Amino acid sequence: MPRHFLRKLELYTHLSAADREALESAVGEKRRRVGPREDIVREGDHTGHVNLVLEGWACRYKQLEDGRRQIVALFVPGDLCDTHIDVLREMDHAIGTLTPATYAEVSRDTLGAIAARHPRIMQALWWDTLVSASIQREWTVNLGQRSASERLGHLLCELFLRLRGVGLTEGNHCVLPTTQADLADAMGLSTVHINRTLQDLRRAGLIVLKGRNLTIPDLAALQAASLFTPNYLHFDHIGRHLDAVEPVAV
Amino acid sequence: MPRHFLRKLELYTHLSAADREALESAVGEKRRRVGPREDIVREGDHTGHVNLVLEGWACRYKQLEDGRRQIVALFVPGDLCDTHIDVLREMDHAIGTLTPATYAEVSRDTLGAIAARHPRIMQALWWDTLVSASIQREWTVNLGQRSASERLGHLLCELFLRLRGVGLTEGNHCVLPTTQADLADAMGLSTVHINRTLQDLRRAGLIVLKGRNLTIPDLAALQAASLFTPNYLHFDHIGRHLDAVEPVAV
DNA sequence: CGGTCAGTTGAGAACTTTCAACATGGGTGG
DNA sequence: CCACCCATGTTGAAAGTTCTCAACTGACCG
């Protein structure tokens, strides 16, 4: 059932049937369904589990006292929120949904048990954690150095590749279920400017965005226009030395 | 010798004498001294060790093809660069010094051996890693939502508290050895604007900055002006349940 | 003494925000 | 079934912030 998550981990290494079963049963333990714009975790909480997004989109965000909000990470199906975060006393940020969503709560104990018994999974979770950190760094670059259109184009490239990594694209097309206000909070821009920047990208033929449907006619062109290089996503099967060798050949 | 690092870890938990010795000997293995503005790690490298800053300041940065540079993290004495990063194939960023610096190279094997034998250290390293990630998120908020003066004030608050955490402040005073150009690259602003913003902060009486010497006459005031809350640094001795109980009482 | 680096200043240009109005669409109650 | 409402997206114009360019200062070094 956590097929997007499994698919993502297999970008790093091939899992054995036993690995997959272990993850499936862990994810089956406790499942929740929530509406759009709901908090899953609030700032100040102390949670003892990890959340895995199964369907829908969510985000990690921080809010300033005066109401300004910054989305610091977007979560799409297959994304794991806050691995190991429970070493810290309390959450310094919140996690909320952008769309209706379902997610699995995996307890720390369950995750620890799996990691102990399945070293390949442990490595893959490590990889996932490090890639998340790398994405966070790239967002810092994005906000610090890129112009509005580069910034937005960069985000769309990243999301497209991440969605493709979990099997949620078709050809050069994917969904973009966020509102323009969500994009604004993620990019540190006003909604008005997001709107105009999207129009610029459309006018330049770099994207086709109708409603929640995004098409990127020429990904290489969008990447070039956004100074995007995919290396920071580390989608290069770098854990192949750990690949499971199944006993049964085809 | 890695006194700043030890002191930082003790913000989280108290280490035993054995813990401290293990860390000291690990850090003594290989020590390097480099000048200012030198790269310690280059983008594309594949390193098998972790670097611990002993003296001087360094940074993690990413550079765009057209030369724009974003500093995504600052390292002060006691900071550890890139724990566990070697799960990834190659570095997606570089690490360079800002000032002359000395650092210790700790091999992955050494670190792994310590972690296995000293669970308290392993937990403390985890805490350090998670705090670094938290700081990275806060920088994203900083670049996305705060105005130039809030942004710069926020950074100065953070640096002051981090330096205080490793014993490198005296009263309300510390060093700030970066150039304005470095600050600009870290804050996503131009050097000219950094210069003017520093003047604003000075004029408002929030900082006194002469050469490399920074004084913050009223930290609470600077925090308030910058919408700074220290919770994200997690300096709250949250690992106290792990505190070492020394067999010898004083 | 000349050169270089860091810091400072002025002025205009460019980018982004704010405010306010208007358009569109889906959903709800009458 | 229609009327209304609200969330989302769109547009215009003025204001505000930040950048760029260019010049100049002061300190340190060879």
Side-chain angles (χ1 to χ4, degrees), chain A residues 37 179-180 195-196 199 202 212:
Chain A
R37 266 147 245 289
T179 65
Q180 293 185 357
N195 182 288
R196 290 180 171 136
Q199 291 178 48
R202 279 193 268 241
R212 321 259 96 145

Side-chain angles (χ1 to χ4, degrees), chain A residues 220-236:
Chain A
L222 184 58
Q223 292 189 179
S226 313
L227 295 167
F228 179 95
T229 35
N231 66 324
Y232 74 98
L233 295 172
H234 296 280
F235 282 175
D236 39 9

Side-chain angles (χ1 to χ4, degrees), chain A residues 80-101:
Chain A
L80 208 47
C81 320
D82 291 320
T83 331
H84 301 109
I85 199 78
D86 54 332
V87 173
L88 302 181
R89 172 142 54 192
E90 56 176 46
M91 299 294 273
D92 52 41
H93 59 262
I95 295 181
T97 56
L98 297 173
T99 69

